[in-house]
Amino acid sequence: MKKLKQLGLHPEQMLADLPAFMNRIICLADEIGISLSSYAADHIALRVNSQDIALELHQAWLAYGTEWSQAIINGRPIVVIGFDKPLQVGEWTIEALELPYPNGKTYPQQGWEHVEFVIPGNAMSLEQLEQSISSIFPALNWQQLADQGIKVKASSPAGEHERLPNPTYAFKKGNICIKLHSHSLAAVITSEQQDKHVNNNN
């Protein structure tokens, strides 16, 4: 815990920094041309550079919630912890924390990295998700984002047993990232657990 505090990564320190981080998320959303106040902030994610720190954080955050899942995604474990008491920040109630273990990439800044929002549309592919985003946020100009220094990345991350496709668009500028998808993390984890149950019964 001492090391976490020295790095400013102890959960108490990170929770104290949460309002400022969400303000940066709101500023990025304004720059992108999207208003997220009507949509659920599904989960919040952090990034760290070392396995030791990830292990310490994993244990430290378990004091605030219950481990919902641990899945290998893109070759590394990603832990999801559901908060006993959801985080209330601004207009949003955040139910879960995503903690990816490092995969060799070094982040210039450790700590909060993105918030993922659920938008309507039930998209099952990246094409459907792009259509949903464009329809819901008509002010978003995809072509101008690169000129604003905003990187856009489309992905379809999936755990081994996930049945529910969850295409995702990430909008990143500096150390701040907003991700949009159509299915909550809780729904994706439920689909994974159902698949395991089916496989175990076969």
Side-chain angles (χ1 to χ4, degrees), residues 5 8-9 43 71 83 116 127 130 141 148 154 158-159 171 179 190 198 201:
K5 286 188 175 178
L9 294 174
H43 67 272
F83 296 117
E116 204 144 340
E127 292 76 16
E130 185 177 340
N141 186 324
Q148 295 169 258
F171 301 84
K179 292 191 177 186
T190 298
V198 169
N201 287 341

Side-chain angles (χ1 to χ4, degrees), residues 2-197:
K2 187 179 177 183
K3 193 171 185 182
L4 292 182
K5 286 188 175 178
Q6 287 172 343
L7 293 168
L9 294 174
H10 187 279
E12 288 177 8
Q13 294 168 303
M14 296 196 68
L15 290 170
D17 183 53
L18 188 55
F21 177 72
M22 284 303 288
N23 282 337
R24 294 196 289 275
I25 290 284
I26 292 165
C27 289
L28 177 56
D30 289 344
E31 204 172 336
I32 294 167
I34 59 179
S35 174
L36 297 167
S37 57
S38 302
Y39 305 102
D42 178 46
H43 67 272
I44 189 165
L46 52 83
R47 292 288 184 270
V48 293
N49 293 329
S50 85
Q51 195 83 2
D52 290 347
I53 293 298
L55 280 164
E56 276 199 57
L57 277 173
H58 187 170
Q59 293 309 308
W61 279 105
L62 285 173
Y64 296 80
T66 305
E67 189 171 303
W68 282 2
S69 78
Q70 185 170 162
I72 302 297
I73 299 175
N74 296 333
R76 60 170 172 178
I78 293 187
V79 176
V80 178
I81 294 171
F83 296 117
D84 292 335
K85 185 181 178 184
L87 306 183
Q88 191 66 47
V89 53
E91 301 165 77
W92 295 280
T93 301
I94 302 173
E95 291 187 337
L97 168 76
E98 180 186 271
L99 169 59
Y101 275 67
N103 62 352
K105 183 176 179 180
T106 299
Y107 294 90
Q109 184 174 322
Q110 300 185 99
W112 297 129
E113 197 255 358
H114 75 255
V115 178
E116 204 144 340
F117 295 85
V118 180
I119 60 166
N122 202 34
M124 294 292 182
S125 68
L126 287 167
E127 292 76 16
Q128 289 174 357
L129 181 60
E130 185 177 340
Q131 287 170 6
S132 293
I133 293 171
S134 296
S135 172
I136 293 166
F137 305 116
L140 189 158
N141 186 324
W142 295 87
Q143 281 70 43
Q144 283 183 0
L145 294 176
D147 295 336
Q148 295 169 258
I150 298 167
K151 294 178 181 177
V152 181
K153 182 180 177 183
S155 63
S156 296
E160 182 185 355
H161 294 283
E162 284 171 18
R163 289 179 156 194
L164 187 63
N166 203 22
T168 302
Y169 265 97
F171 301 84
K172 186 169 186 176
K173 187 171 187 178
N175 296 318
I176 303 294
C177 180
I178 292 169
K179 292 191 177 186
L180 304 178
H181 59 180
S182 290
H183 305 288
S184 72
L185 204 49
V188 172
I189 290 167
T190 298
S191 80
E192 180 183 50
Q193 289 166 346
Q194 286 172 343
D195 186 72
K196 285 180 180 175
H197 180 72

